[in-house]
Amino acid sequence: MLVSPYQAADQQEVLAVFDSNVPKYFAEAERAEFLEFLDGFADHYLVGREEGKVVACGGHAPRRDDPTTWTLCWGMVTASQHRRGLGAQLLRLRLDAIAATGPATVLLGTSQHSAGFFERFGFVTENVVPDGFAPGIDQYDMRLRL
């Protein structure tokens, strides 16, 4: 998978990746929030391509009030490509970029469907909000210290 910075021209393909993960990983109602993110906050957002087609995307951003704390943003892989290691590759790239800034804490919010994936990389669940993202999609707040 070749990874490059997100550009506005990637928007439709990235939205297709999101759509492929509805309703298990994302609620349809989250699409507008994701689109708003892409339009205004995608400075550290990456897209992964295979054979020229976007198959994965994800970002990271420092907190404004604490530059040593980072948040992982909107990470996903096209549903038909799950379990091929693409998400792990993209996560490692993001964590390496964060680690290059110095000691850091990484936060993320994910669902019960993805929490185990992040645990394999050392993330620890700090809080669970039942139906926190949408009915049937619990919110797991996780943390990793680099």
Side-chain angles (χ1 to χ4, degrees):
M1 177 172 70
L2 297 174
V3 178
S4 61
Y6 170 82
Q7 297 180 23
D10 300 323
Q11 185 180 78
Q12 290 308 307
E13 283 189 275
V14 167
L15 288 171
V17 174
F18 175 91
D19 293 341
S20 78
N21 285 285
V22 172
K24 183 175 182 179
Y25 296 94
F26 297 106
E28 178 64 37
E30 292 179 282
R31 193 177 199 270
E33 182 182 344
F34 181 48
L35 186 55
E36 182 180 332
F37 167 82
L38 292 173
D39 286 344
F41 305 101
D43 292 341
H44 296 281
Y45 203 67
L46 304 171
V47 295
R49 289 184 174 78
E50 286 191 330
E51 298 178 10
K53 182 175 178 173
V54 174
V55 293
C57 50
H60 54 285
R63 287 183 52 161
R64 291 188 176 124
D65 62 338
D66 179 3
T68 66
T69 300
W70 292 72
T71 302
L72 294 183
C73 312
W74 296 104
M76 62 194 87
V77 173
T78 298
S80 65
Q81 302 299 313
H82 287 183
R83 305 189 90 44
R84 291 190 47 232
L86 303 176
Q89 181 182 349
L90 189 60
L91 177 60
R92 283 188 197 102
L93 286 171
R94 294 187 287 163
L95 293 178
D96 288 349
I98 294 168
T101 68
T105 298
V106 183
L107 306 175
L108 71 95
T110 193
S111 75
Q112 72 271 26
H113 305 295
S114 301
F117 168 81
F118 290 103
E119 287 171 351
R120 291 195 316 260
F121 291 88
F123 282 86
V124 175
T125 300
E126 294 190 320
N127 186 45
V128 177
V129 180
D131 298 329
F133 289 117
I137 305 178
D138 301 338
Q139 179 178 331
Y140 279 60
D141 297 320
M142 304 183 81
R143 175 183 301 265
L144 173 70
R145 297 195 193 286
L146 295 178

